[in-house]
Amino acid sequence: MLEQLRDHWWWRPGVRPGRRVLLWHLLVEERPELRALVGKFRERLTGLPGLDPVPDEWLHMTTQIVGFADEIPGAEVDAMVSAVTEEFRALPPVTVRVGRLYLYDEGVAVGIEPERALDPVREAIRAGVARTVTAHQLADHPDWTPHVTVAYSNSDVPVVPIHEALADLPAPCELTVHQAHLVEQVRDGHLYRWDPVTTVPLTG
């Protein structure tokens, strides 16, 4: 079992201050019930050292990192969006339950059930990226556990106090995924910010 979290904020290969990354997110947007749920998780973690809570505005479910924005020509971005749009024509919106505690190496998150329900969305995105983008990072991220991070760890953090703080979990909520968002993301201190590029709906 995981005994402690490690610092999330190390510099990954190729990443540097100000360098932007193209990736696909499923965004919380204006989902008040999900924001309220994450807020309850954050409240119960208040006072625990070594955690950087994610503000409502930047809550997200990272679905697929594409690559560094300065390595991907605009024509490839356009082709990728068209390819993902085509893939999404076969996929209807997907409803999941959000609320199970998910601890990973570098953060505290809420996971989904059924855990694999959103896999077709990610597979469609990956298929579109593979067909159109030359300098992609698909091989670096083969596996995916869908989650919305509540707080990133900024040091070695024992998990026992986290389990104790979240022993009585808030009631889960439903989330219907209607679309995916392509964004340009940048690390800003201990926070991720992004600018939207486009949104592609699930229209199956």
PDB file of all heavy atoms in Angstrom, residues 5-9 41-42 44-54 103-109 149-159 161-163 165-166 190:
ATOM      1  N   LEU A   5       3.065  10.213   0.084  1.00  0.00           N
ATOM      2  CA  LEU A   5       3.095  10.918  -1.187  1.00  0.00           C
ATOM      3  C   LEU A   5       4.470  11.562  -1.346  1.00  0.00           C
ATOM      4  O   LEU A   5       5.133  11.868  -0.359  1.00  0.00           O
ATOM      5  CB  LEU A   5       2.010  11.996  -1.238  1.00  0.00           C
ATOM      6  CG  LEU A   5       0.586  11.590  -0.856  1.00  0.00           C
ATOM      7  CD1 LEU A   5      -0.348  12.785  -1.030  1.00  0.00           C
ATOM      8  CD2 LEU A   5       0.106  10.404  -1.654  1.00  0.00           C
ATOM      9  N   ARG A   6       4.867  11.787  -2.593  1.00  0.00           N
ATOM     10  CA  ARG A   6       6.126  12.486  -2.846  1.00  0.00           C
ATOM     11  C   ARG A   6       5.833  13.831  -3.496  1.00  0.00           C
ATOM     12  O   ARG A   6       4.717  14.096  -3.937  1.00  0.00           O
ATOM     13  CB  ARG A   6       7.041  11.640  -3.725  1.00  0.00           C
ATOM     14  CG  ARG A   6       6.514  11.370  -5.124  1.00  0.00           C
ATOM     15  CD  ARG A   6       7.574  10.702  -5.997  1.00  0.00           C
ATOM     16  NE  ARG A   6       7.091  10.508  -7.355  1.00  0.00           N
ATOM     17  CZ  ARG A   6       6.748   9.348  -7.868  1.00  0.00           C
ATOM     18  NH1 ARG A   6       6.827   8.254  -7.125  1.00  0.00           N
ATOM     19  NH2 ARG A   6       6.325   9.253  -9.125  1.00  0.00           N
ATOM     20  N   ASP A   7       6.852  14.663  -3.557  1.00  0.00           N
ATOM     21  CA  ASP A   7       6.715  16.010  -4.115  1.00  0.00           C
ATOM     22  C   ASP A   7       6.300  15.939  -5.584  1.00  0.00           C
ATOM     23  O   ASP A   7       6.975  15.321  -6.403  1.00  0.00           O
ATOM     24  CB  ASP A   7       8.045  16.744  -3.965  1.00  0.00           C
ATOM     25  CG  ASP A   7       7.968  18.203  -4.415  1.00  0.00           C
ATOM     26  OD1 ASP A   7       6.861  18.681  -4.733  1.00  0.00           O
ATOM     27  OD2 ASP A   7       9.023  18.852  -4.438  1.00  0.00           O
ATOM     28  N   HIS A   8       5.185  16.577  -5.897  1.00  0.00           N
ATOM     29  CA  HIS A   8       4.689  16.598  -7.277  1.00  0.00           C
ATOM     30  C   HIS A   8       5.456  17.572  -8.151  1.00  0.00           C
ATOM     31  O   HIS A   8       5.481  17.422  -9.385  1.00  0.00           O
ATOM     32  CB  HIS A   8       3.206  16.989  -7.269  1.00  0.00           C
ATOM     33  CG  HIS A   8       2.632  17.195  -8.637  1.00  0.00           C
ATOM     34  ND1 HIS A   8       2.308  16.155  -9.477  1.00  0.00           N
ATOM     35  CD2 HIS A   8       2.340  18.335  -9.332  1.00  0.00           C
ATOM     36  CE1 HIS A   8       1.821  16.634 -10.614  1.00  0.00           C
ATOM     37  NE2 HIS A   8       1.835  17.954 -10.550  1.00  0.00           N
ATOM     38  N   TRP A   9       6.099  18.576  -7.563  1.00  0.00           N
ATOM     39  CA  TRP A   9       6.536  19.737  -8.319  1.00  0.00           C
ATOM     40  C   TRP A   9       7.975  19.647  -8.805  1.00  0.00           C
ATOM     41  O   TRP A   9       8.644  20.660  -8.970  1.00  0.00           O
ATOM     42  CB  TRP A   9       6.329  21.002  -7.489  1.00  0.00           C
ATOM     43  CG  TRP A   9       4.904  21.189  -7.089  1.00  0.00           C
ATOM     44  CD1 TRP A   9       4.369  21.076  -5.837  1.00  0.00           C
ATOM     45  CD2 TRP A   9       3.804  21.503  -7.955  1.00  0.00           C
ATOM     46  NE1 TRP A   9       3.013  21.300  -5.862  1.00  0.00           N
ATOM     47  CE2 TRP A   9       2.631  21.563  -7.154  1.00  0.00           C
ATOM     48  CE3 TRP A   9       3.691  21.740  -9.333  1.00  0.00           C
ATOM     49  CZ2 TRP A   9       1.375  21.844  -7.686  1.00  0.00           C
ATOM     50  CZ3 TRP A   9       2.440  22.015  -9.855  1.00  0.00           C
ATOM     51  CH2 TRP A   9       1.300  22.080  -9.031  1.00  0.00           C
ATOM     52  N   PHE A  41     -13.841  17.790   0.411  1.00  0.00           N
ATOM     53  CA  PHE A  41     -12.551  17.096   0.549  1.00  0.00           C
ATOM     54  C   PHE A  41     -11.479  18.080   1.012  1.00  0.00           C
ATOM     55  O   PHE A  41     -10.708  17.789   1.933  1.00  0.00           O
ATOM     56  CB  PHE A  41     -12.145  16.467  -0.782  1.00  0.00           C
ATOM     57  CG  PHE A  41     -12.672  15.079  -1.013  1.00  0.00           C
ATOM     58  CD1 PHE A  41     -14.011  14.859  -1.298  1.00  0.00           C
ATOM     59  CD2 PHE A  41     -11.825  13.993  -0.946  1.00  0.00           C
ATOM     60  CE1 PHE A  41     -14.499  13.582  -1.533  1.00  0.00           C
ATOM     61  CE2 PHE A  41     -12.296  12.707  -1.172  1.00  0.00           C
ATOM     62  CZ  PHE A  41     -13.636  12.492  -1.463  1.00  0.00           C
ATOM     63  N   ARG A  42     -11.412  19.249   0.361  1.00  0.00           N
ATOM     64  CA  ARG A  42     -10.398  20.241   0.723  1.00  0.00           C
ATOM     65  C   ARG A  42     -10.549  20.676   2.173  1.00  0.00           C
ATOM     66  O   ARG A  42      -9.566  20.820   2.904  1.00  0.00           O
ATOM     67  CB  ARG A  42     -10.503  21.460  -0.196  1.00  0.00           C
ATOM     68  CG  ARG A  42      -9.872  21.283  -1.561  1.00  0.00           C
ATOM     69  CD  ARG A  42      -9.742  22.623  -2.274  1.00  0.00           C
ATOM     70  NE  ARG A  42     -11.013  23.306  -2.365  1.00  0.00           N
ATOM     71  CZ  ARG A  42     -11.637  23.609  -3.511  1.00  0.00           C
ATOM     72  NH1 ARG A  42     -11.105  23.268  -4.665  1.00  0.00           N
ATOM     73  NH2 ARG A  42     -12.783  24.235  -3.509  1.00  0.00           N
ATOM     74  N   ARG A  44     -11.717  19.041   4.694  1.00  0.00           N
ATOM     75  CA  ARG A  44     -11.280  18.013   5.638  1.00  0.00           C
ATOM     76  C   ARG A  44      -9.764  17.845   5.649  1.00  0.00           C
ATOM     77  O   ARG A  44      -9.208  17.318   6.608  1.00  0.00           O
ATOM     78  CB  ARG A  44     -11.977  16.691   5.312  1.00  0.00           C
ATOM     79  CG  ARG A  44     -13.487  16.811   5.497  1.00  0.00           C
ATOM     80  CD  ARG A  44     -14.242  15.534   5.225  1.00  0.00           C
ATOM     81  NE  ARG A  44     -15.682  15.793   5.210  1.00  0.00           N
ATOM     82  CZ  ARG A  44     -16.605  14.855   5.249  1.00  0.00           C
ATOM     83  NH1 ARG A  44     -16.241  13.575   5.303  1.00  0.00           N
ATOM     84  NH2 ARG A  44     -17.886  15.161   5.221  1.00  0.00           N
ATOM     85  N   LEU A  45      -9.116  18.289   4.587  1.00  0.00           N
ATOM     86  CA  LEU A  45      -7.655  18.222   4.538  1.00  0.00           C
ATOM     87  C   LEU A  45      -6.988  19.475   5.105  1.00  0.00           C
ATOM     88  O   LEU A  45      -5.762  19.515   5.226  1.00  0.00           O
ATOM     89  CB  LEU A  45      -7.194  18.017   3.096  1.00  0.00           C
ATOM     90  CG  LEU A  45      -7.593  16.696   2.431  1.00  0.00           C
ATOM     91  CD1 LEU A  45      -7.224  16.728   0.950  1.00  0.00           C
ATOM     92  CD2 LEU A  45      -6.945  15.503   3.116  1.00  0.00           C
ATOM     93  N   THR A  46      -7.780  20.484   5.453  1.00  0.00           N
ATOM     94  CA  THR A  46      -7.234  21.738   5.966  1.00  0.00           C
ATOM     95  C   THR A  46      -6.365  21.476   7.197  1.00  0.00           C
ATOM     96  O   THR A  46      -6.757  20.759   8.114  1.00  0.00           O
ATOM     97  CB  THR A  46      -8.365  22.709   6.337  1.00  0.00           C
ATOM     98  OG1 THR A  46      -9.131  22.998   5.175  1.00  0.00           O
ATOM     99  CG2 THR A  46      -7.810  24.008   6.910  1.00  0.00           C
ATOM    100  N   GLY A  47      -5.190  22.062   7.188  1.00  0.00           N
ATOM    101  CA  GLY A  47      -4.282  21.911   8.316  1.00  0.00           C
ATOM    102  C   GLY A  47      -3.252  20.812   8.154  1.00  0.00           C
ATOM    103  O   GLY A  47      -2.263  20.784   8.904  1.00  0.00           O
ATOM    104  N   LEU A  48      -3.454  19.910   7.192  1.00  0.00           N
ATOM    105  CA  LEU A  48      -2.459  18.880   6.955  1.00  0.00           C
ATOM    106  C   LEU A  48      -1.290  19.485   6.172  1.00  0.00           C
ATOM    107  O   LEU A  48      -1.503  20.132   5.144  1.00  0.00           O
ATOM    108  CB  LEU A  48      -3.044  17.704   6.178  1.00  0.00           C
ATOM    109  CG  LEU A  48      -4.126  16.881   6.889  1.00  0.00           C
ATOM    110  CD1 LEU A  48      -4.508  15.675   6.021  1.00  0.00           C
ATOM    111  CD2 LEU A  48      -3.654  16.403   8.260  1.00  0.00           C
ATOM    112  N   PRO A  49      -0.065  19.300   6.635  1.00  0.00           N
ATOM    113  CA  PRO A  49       1.080  19.913   5.948  1.00  0.00           C
ATOM    114  C   PRO A  49       1.410  19.190   4.648  1.00  0.00           C
ATOM    115  O   PRO A  49       1.078  18.024   4.444  1.00  0.00           O
ATOM    116  CB  PRO A  49       2.220  19.739   6.968  1.00  0.00           C
ATOM    117  CG  PRO A  49       1.831  18.525   7.756  1.00  0.00           C
ATOM    118  CD  PRO A  49       0.324  18.546   7.837  1.00  0.00           C
ATOM    119  N   GLY A  50       2.059  19.942   3.763  1.00  0.00           N
ATOM    120  CA  GLY A  50       2.605  19.345   2.557  1.00  0.00           C
ATOM    121  C   GLY A  50       1.644  19.209   1.399  1.00  0.00           C
ATOM    122  O   GLY A  50       1.963  18.536   0.420  1.00  0.00           O
ATOM    123  N   LEU A  51       0.477  19.857   1.467  1.00  0.00           N
ATOM    124  CA  LEU A  51      -0.522  19.727   0.405  1.00  0.00           C
ATOM    125  C   LEU A  51      -0.860  21.094  -0.181  1.00  0.00           C
ATOM    126  O   LEU A  51      -1.054  22.062   0.560  1.00  0.00           O
ATOM    127  CB  LEU A  51      -1.800  19.070   0.938  1.00  0.00           C
ATOM    128  CG  LEU A  51      -1.681  17.636   1.444  1.00  0.00           C
ATOM    129  CD1 LEU A  51      -3.013  17.178   2.029  1.00  0.00           C
ATOM    130  CD2 LEU A  51      -1.233  16.702   0.331  1.00  0.00           C
ATOM    131  N   ASP A  52      -0.944  21.159  -1.515  1.00  0.00           N
ATOM    132  CA  ASP A  52      -1.348  22.376  -2.222  1.00  0.00           C
ATOM    133  C   ASP A  52      -2.733  22.150  -2.827  1.00  0.00           C
ATOM    134  O   ASP A  52      -2.865  21.472  -3.854  1.00  0.00           O
ATOM    135  CB  ASP A  52      -0.362  22.704  -3.341  1.00  0.00           C
ATOM    136  CG  ASP A  52       1.019  23.056  -2.826  1.00  0.00           C
ATOM    137  OD1 ASP A  52       1.105  23.778  -1.826  1.00  0.00           O
ATOM    138  OD2 ASP A  52       2.015  22.593  -3.433  1.00  0.00           O
ATOM    139  N   PRO A  53      -3.785  22.700  -2.211  1.00  0.00           N
ATOM    140  CA  PRO A  53      -5.139  22.499  -2.747  1.00  0.00           C
ATOM    141  C   PRO A  53      -5.290  23.128  -4.130  1.00  0.00           C
ATOM    142  O   PRO A  53      -4.689  24.163  -4.437  1.00  0.00           O
ATOM    143  CB  PRO A  53      -6.038  23.195  -1.723  1.00  0.00           C
ATOM    144  CG  PRO A  53      -5.196  23.347  -0.491  1.00  0.00           C
ATOM    145  CD  PRO A  53      -3.787  23.487  -0.971  1.00  0.00           C
ATOM    146  N   VAL A  54      -6.107  22.500  -4.965  1.00  0.00           N
ATOM    147  CA  VAL A  54      -6.396  23.023  -6.304  1.00  0.00           C
ATOM    148  C   VAL A  54      -7.645  23.900  -6.224  1.00  0.00           C
ATOM    149  O   VAL A  54      -8.708  23.421  -5.816  1.00  0.00           O
ATOM    150  CB  VAL A  54      -6.618  21.883  -7.313  1.00  0.00           C
ATOM    151  CG1 VAL A  54      -6.921  22.452  -8.703  1.00  0.00           C
ATOM    152  CG2 VAL A  54      -5.405  20.955  -7.354  1.00  0.00           C
ATOM    153  N   LEU A 103      -5.783   8.035  -3.889  1.00  0.00           N
ATOM    154  CA  LEU A 103      -4.459   8.553  -3.574  1.00  0.00           C
ATOM    155  C   LEU A 103      -3.478   8.005  -4.600  1.00  0.00           C
ATOM    156  O   LEU A 103      -3.415   6.803  -4.829  1.00  0.00           O
ATOM    157  CB  LEU A 103      -4.021   8.121  -2.172  1.00  0.00           C
ATOM    158  CG  LEU A 103      -4.828   8.647  -0.986  1.00  0.00           C
ATOM    159  CD1 LEU A 103      -4.242   8.115   0.317  1.00  0.00           C
ATOM    160  CD2 LEU A 103      -4.851  10.165  -0.969  1.00  0.00           C
ATOM    161  N   TYR A 104      -2.732   8.901  -5.243  1.00  0.00           N
ATOM    162  CA  TYR A 104      -1.659   8.464  -6.123  1.00  0.00           C
ATOM    163  C   TYR A 104      -0.344   9.040  -5.612  1.00  0.00           C
ATOM    164  O   TYR A 104      -0.331   9.738  -4.584  1.00  0.00           O
ATOM    165  CB  TYR A 104      -1.946   8.839  -7.576  1.00  0.00           C
ATOM    166  CG  TYR A 104      -2.082  10.319  -7.860  1.00  0.00           C
ATOM    167  CD1 TYR A 104      -1.018  11.043  -8.389  1.00  0.00           C
ATOM    168  CD2 TYR A 104      -3.286  10.991  -7.623  1.00  0.00           C
ATOM    169  CE1 TYR A 104      -1.145  12.401  -8.676  1.00  0.00           C
ATOM    170  CE2 TYR A 104      -3.412  12.344  -7.918  1.00  0.00           C
ATOM    171  CZ  TYR A 104      -2.338  13.039  -8.435  1.00  0.00           C
ATOM    172  OH  TYR A 104      -2.462  14.381  -8.706  1.00  0.00           O
ATOM    173  N   ASP A 105       0.740   8.743  -6.283  1.00  0.00           N
ATOM    174  CA  ASP A 105       2.058   9.053  -5.729  1.00  0.00           C
ATOM    175  C   ASP A 105       2.249  10.514  -5.358  1.00  0.00           C
ATOM    176  O   ASP A 105       3.030  10.822  -4.451  1.00  0.00           O
ATOM    177  CB  ASP A 105       3.157   8.653  -6.725  1.00  0.00           C
ATOM    178  CG  ASP A 105       3.311   7.151  -6.852  1.00  0.00           C
ATOM    179  OD1 ASP A 105       2.704   6.431  -6.044  1.00  0.00           O
ATOM    180  OD2 ASP A 105       4.033   6.703  -7.764  1.00  0.00           O
ATOM    181  N   GLU A 106       1.551  11.414  -6.047  1.00  0.00           N
ATOM    182  CA  GLU A 106       1.840  12.839  -5.882  1.00  0.00           C
ATOM    183  C   GLU A 106       0.610  13.669  -5.567  1.00  0.00           C
ATOM    184  O   GLU A 106       0.640  14.894  -5.728  1.00  0.00           O
ATOM    185  CB  GLU A 106       2.523  13.371  -7.149  1.00  0.00           C
ATOM    186  CG  GLU A 106       3.848  12.678  -7.447  1.00  0.00           C
ATOM    187  CD  GLU A 106       4.489  13.122  -8.749  1.00  0.00           C
ATOM    188  OE1 GLU A 106       3.853  13.933  -9.461  1.00  0.00           O
ATOM    189  OE2 GLU A 106       5.604  12.680  -9.050  1.00  0.00           O
ATOM    190  N   GLY A 107      -0.479  13.039  -5.121  1.00  0.00           N
ATOM    191  CA  GLY A 107      -1.639  13.859  -4.832  1.00  0.00           C
ATOM    192  C   GLY A 107      -2.807  13.098  -4.244  1.00  0.00           C
ATOM    193  O   GLY A 107      -2.826  11.867  -4.187  1.00  0.00           O
ATOM    194  N   VAL A 108      -3.777  13.897  -3.795  1.00  0.00           N
ATOM    195  CA  VAL A 108      -5.046  13.395  -3.266  1.00  0.00           C
ATOM    196  C   VAL A 108      -6.119  13.755  -4.272  1.00  0.00           C
ATOM    197  O   VAL A 108      -6.216  14.908  -4.709  1.00  0.00           O
ATOM    198  CB  VAL A 108      -5.377  14.043  -1.908  1.00  0.00           C
ATOM    199  CG1 VAL A 108      -6.669  13.468  -1.340  1.00  0.00           C
ATOM    200  CG2 VAL A 108      -4.221  13.861  -0.924  1.00  0.00           C
ATOM    201  N   ALA A 109      -6.939  12.774  -4.650  1.00  0.00           N
ATOM    202  CA  ALA A 109      -7.899  13.003  -5.729  1.00  0.00           C
ATOM    203  C   ALA A 109      -9.216  12.305  -5.424  1.00  0.00           C
ATOM    204  O   ALA A 109      -9.306  11.465  -4.524  1.00  0.00           O
ATOM    205  CB  ALA A 109      -7.327  12.511  -7.058  1.00  0.00           C
ATOM    206  N   THR A 149      -7.846  15.914  -9.222  1.00  0.00           N
ATOM    207  CA  THR A 149      -6.953  16.141  -8.088  1.00  0.00           C
ATOM    208  C   THR A 149      -7.518  17.229  -7.185  1.00  0.00           C
ATOM    209  O   THR A 149      -7.889  18.308  -7.638  1.00  0.00           O
ATOM    210  CB  THR A 149      -5.543  16.522  -8.571  1.00  0.00           C
ATOM    211  OG1 THR A 149      -4.995  15.424  -9.305  1.00  0.00           O
ATOM    212  CG2 THR A 149      -4.634  16.841  -7.398  1.00  0.00           C
ATOM    213  N   VAL A 150      -7.566  16.916  -5.896  1.00  0.00           N
ATOM    214  CA  VAL A 150      -8.006  17.858  -4.866  1.00  0.00           C
ATOM    215  C   VAL A 150      -6.824  18.678  -4.358  1.00  0.00           C
ATOM    216  O   VAL A 150      -6.934  19.882  -4.126  1.00  0.00           O
ATOM    217  CB  VAL A 150      -8.672  17.103  -3.699  1.00  0.00           C
ATOM    218  CG1 VAL A 150      -9.035  18.050  -2.564  1.00  0.00           C
ATOM    219  CG2 VAL A 150      -9.885  16.330  -4.184  1.00  0.00           C
ATOM    220  N   ALA A 151      -5.672  18.008  -4.171  1.00  0.00           N
ATOM    221  CA  ALA A 151      -4.469  18.678  -3.677  1.00  0.00           C
ATOM    222  C   ALA A 151      -3.245  17.916  -4.155  1.00  0.00           C
ATOM    223  O   ALA A 151      -3.227  16.682  -4.139  1.00  0.00           O
ATOM    224  CB  ALA A 151      -4.475  18.754  -2.156  1.00  0.00           C
ATOM    225  N   TYR A 152      -2.227  18.666  -4.593  1.00  0.00           N
ATOM    226  CA  TYR A 152      -0.938  18.074  -4.932  1.00  0.00           C
ATOM    227  C   TYR A 152      -0.026  18.111  -3.708  1.00  0.00           C
ATOM    228  O   TYR A 152      -0.091  19.054  -2.900  1.00  0.00           O
ATOM    229  CB  TYR A 152      -0.274  18.848  -6.078  1.00  0.00           C
ATOM    230  CG  TYR A 152      -1.005  18.760  -7.392  1.00  0.00           C
ATOM    231  CD1 TYR A 152      -1.739  19.834  -7.882  1.00  0.00           C
ATOM    232  CD2 TYR A 152      -0.953  17.591  -8.157  1.00  0.00           C
ATOM    233  CE1 TYR A 152      -2.408  19.755  -9.100  1.00  0.00           C
ATOM    234  CE2 TYR A 152      -1.621  17.498  -9.377  1.00  0.00           C
ATOM    235  CZ  TYR A 152      -2.340  18.581  -9.838  1.00  0.00           C
ATOM    236  OH  TYR A 152      -3.002  18.499 -11.039  1.00  0.00           O
ATOM    237  N   SER A 153       0.841  17.130  -3.595  1.00  0.00           N
ATOM    238  CA  SER A 153       1.803  17.129  -2.493  1.00  0.00           C
ATOM    239  C   SER A 153       3.029  17.950  -2.895  1.00  0.00           C
ATOM    240  O   SER A 153       3.455  17.927  -4.048  1.00  0.00           O
ATOM    241  CB  SER A 153       2.214  15.696  -2.145  1.00  0.00           C
ATOM    242  OG  SER A 153       2.647  15.005  -3.298  1.00  0.00           O
ATOM    243  N   ASN A 154       3.576  18.674  -1.939  1.00  0.00           N
ATOM    244  CA  ASN A 154       4.776  19.470  -2.199  1.00  0.00           C
ATOM    245  C   ASN A 154       5.983  18.994  -1.399  1.00  0.00           C
ATOM    246  O   ASN A 154       6.998  19.681  -1.325  1.00  0.00           O
ATOM    247  CB  ASN A 154       4.510  20.960  -1.935  1.00  0.00           C
ATOM    248  CG  ASN A 154       4.062  21.227  -0.504  1.00  0.00           C
ATOM    249  OD1 ASN A 154       4.575  20.635   0.441  1.00  0.00           O
ATOM    250  ND2 ASN A 154       3.089  22.124  -0.341  1.00  0.00           N
ATOM    251  N   SER A 155       5.875  17.797  -0.806  1.00  0.00           N
ATOM    252  CA  SER A 155       6.959  17.203  -0.034  1.00  0.00           C
ATOM    253  C   SER A 155       6.582  15.745   0.212  1.00  0.00           C
ATOM    254  O   SER A 155       5.563  15.265  -0.307  1.00  0.00           O
ATOM    255  CB  SER A 155       7.160  17.946   1.296  1.00  0.00           C
ATOM    256  OG  SER A 155       5.977  17.910   2.068  1.00  0.00           O
ATOM    257  N   ASP A 156       7.375  15.043   0.996  1.00  0.00           N
ATOM    258  CA  ASP A 156       7.015  13.686   1.394  1.00  0.00           C
ATOM    259  C   ASP A 156       5.923  13.772   2.456  1.00  0.00           C
ATOM    260  O   ASP A 156       6.159  14.304   3.546  1.00  0.00           O
ATOM    261  CB  ASP A 156       8.230  12.936   1.937  1.00  0.00           C
ATOM    262  CG  ASP A 156       9.272  12.657   0.858  1.00  0.00           C
ATOM    263  OD1 ASP A 156       8.884  12.631  -0.324  1.00  0.00           O
ATOM    264  OD2 ASP A 156      10.448  12.471   1.197  1.00  0.00           O
ATOM    265  N   VAL A 157       4.743  13.255   2.140  1.00  0.00           N
ATOM    266  CA  VAL A 157       3.572  13.412   3.003  1.00  0.00           C
ATOM    267  C   VAL A 157       3.050  12.027   3.395  1.00  0.00           C
ATOM    268  O   VAL A 157       2.703  11.232   2.514  1.00  0.00           O
ATOM    269  CB  VAL A 157       2.461  14.195   2.273  1.00  0.00           C
ATOM    270  CG1 VAL A 157       1.227  14.331   3.162  1.00  0.00           C
ATOM    271  CG2 VAL A 157       2.959  15.559   1.837  1.00  0.00           C
ATOM    272  N   PRO A 158       2.996  11.695   4.681  1.00  0.00           N
ATOM    273  CA  PRO A 158       2.429  10.401   5.078  1.00  0.00           C
ATOM    274  C   PRO A 158       0.939  10.339   4.751  1.00  0.00           C
ATOM    275  O   PRO A 158       0.220  11.342   4.856  1.00  0.00           O
ATOM    276  CB  PRO A 158       2.678  10.345   6.587  1.00  0.00           C
ATOM    277  CG  PRO A 158       2.826  11.773   7.003  1.00  0.00           C
ATOM    278  CD  PRO A 158       3.429  12.497   5.841  1.00  0.00           C
ATOM    279  N   VAL A 159       0.475   9.157   4.353  1.00  0.00           N
ATOM    280  CA  VAL A 159      -0.920   9.036   3.937  1.00  0.00           C
ATOM    281  C   VAL A 159      -1.865   8.722   5.091  1.00  0.00           C
ATOM    282  O   VAL A 159      -3.078   8.926   4.952  1.00  0.00           O
ATOM    283  CB  VAL A 159      -1.078   7.966   2.830  1.00  0.00           C
ATOM    284  CG1 VAL A 159      -0.216   8.302   1.627  1.00  0.00           C
ATOM    285  CG2 VAL A 159      -0.773   6.586   3.352  1.00  0.00           C
ATOM    286  N   PRO A 161      -2.514  10.288   8.002  1.00  0.00           N
ATOM    287  CA  PRO A 161      -3.368  11.430   8.379  1.00  0.00           C
ATOM    288  C   PRO A 161      -4.401  11.781   7.309  1.00  0.00           C
ATOM    289  O   PRO A 161      -5.502  12.250   7.635  1.00  0.00           O
ATOM    290  CB  PRO A 161      -2.367  12.575   8.574  1.00  0.00           C
ATOM    291  CG  PRO A 161      -1.074  11.901   8.882  1.00  0.00           C
ATOM    292  CD  PRO A 161      -1.091  10.655   8.052  1.00  0.00           C
ATOM    293  N   ILE A 162      -4.073  11.551   6.047  1.00  0.00           N
ATOM    294  CA  ILE A 162      -5.038  11.820   4.982  1.00  0.00           C
ATOM    295  C   ILE A 162      -6.210  10.852   5.085  1.00  0.00           C
ATOM    296  O   ILE A 162      -7.380  11.256   4.996  1.00  0.00           O
ATOM    297  CB  ILE A 162      -4.353  11.726   3.610  1.00  0.00           C
ATOM    298  CG1 ILE A 162      -3.276  12.805   3.468  1.00  0.00           C
ATOM    299  CG2 ILE A 162      -5.379  11.838   2.481  1.00  0.00           C
ATOM    300  CD1 ILE A 162      -2.415  12.668   2.226  1.00  0.00           C
ATOM    301  N   HIS A 163      -5.912   9.580   5.276  1.00  0.00           N
ATOM    302  CA  HIS A 163      -6.979   8.594   5.443  1.00  0.00           C
ATOM    303  C   HIS A 163      -7.838   8.927   6.658  1.00  0.00           C
ATOM    304  O   HIS A 163      -9.069   8.793   6.612  1.00  0.00           O
ATOM    305  CB  HIS A 163      -6.380   7.195   5.588  1.00  0.00           C
ATOM    306  CG  HIS A 163      -5.997   6.560   4.289  1.00  0.00           C
ATOM    307  ND1 HIS A 163      -6.922   6.184   3.340  1.00  0.00           N
ATOM    308  CD2 HIS A 163      -4.785   6.235   3.778  1.00  0.00           C
ATOM    309  CE1 HIS A 163      -6.304   5.643   2.298  1.00  0.00           C
ATOM    310  NE2 HIS A 163      -4.999   5.665   2.542  1.00  0.00           N
ATOM    311  N   ALA A 165      -8.360  11.907   7.976  1.00  0.00           N
ATOM    312  CA  ALA A 165      -9.152  13.110   7.714  1.00  0.00           C
ATOM    313  C   ALA A 165     -10.336  12.810   6.801  1.00  0.00           C
ATOM    314  O   ALA A 165     -11.374  13.483   6.871  1.00  0.00           O
ATOM    315  CB  ALA A 165      -8.271  14.180   7.085  1.00  0.00           C
ATOM    316  N   LEU A 166     -10.171  11.788   5.946  1.00  0.00           N
ATOM    317  CA  LEU A 166     -11.209  11.463   4.970  1.00  0.00           C
ATOM    318  C   LEU A 166     -11.864  10.120   5.260  1.00  0.00           C
ATOM    319  O   LEU A 166     -12.383   9.458   4.355  1.00  0.00           O
ATOM    320  CB  LEU A 166     -10.610  11.460   3.560  1.00  0.00           C
ATOM    321  CG  LEU A 166     -10.093  12.825   3.071  1.00  0.00           C
ATOM    322  CD1 LEU A 166      -9.266  12.666   1.802  1.00  0.00           C
ATOM    323  CD2 LEU A 166     -11.252  13.783   2.832  1.00  0.00           C
ATOM    324  N   HIS A 190       3.055  26.537  -7.803  1.00  0.00           N
ATOM    325  CA  HIS A 190       2.439  25.269  -7.421  1.00  0.00           C
ATOM    326  C   HIS A 190       0.992  25.218  -7.903  1.00  0.00           C
ATOM    327  O   HIS A 190       0.075  24.904  -7.156  1.00  0.00           O
ATOM    328  CB  HIS A 190       2.514  25.072  -5.904  1.00  0.00           C
ATOM    329  CG  HIS A 190       3.884  24.702  -5.423  1.00  0.00           C
ATOM    330  ND1 HIS A 190       4.141  24.265  -4.146  1.00  0.00           N
ATOM    331  CD2 HIS A 190       5.086  24.681  -6.072  1.00  0.00           C
ATOM    332  CE1 HIS A 190       5.432  24.005  -4.018  1.00  0.00           C
ATOM    333  NE2 HIS A 190       6.022  24.257  -5.169  1.00  0.00           N
TER     334      HIS A 190
END
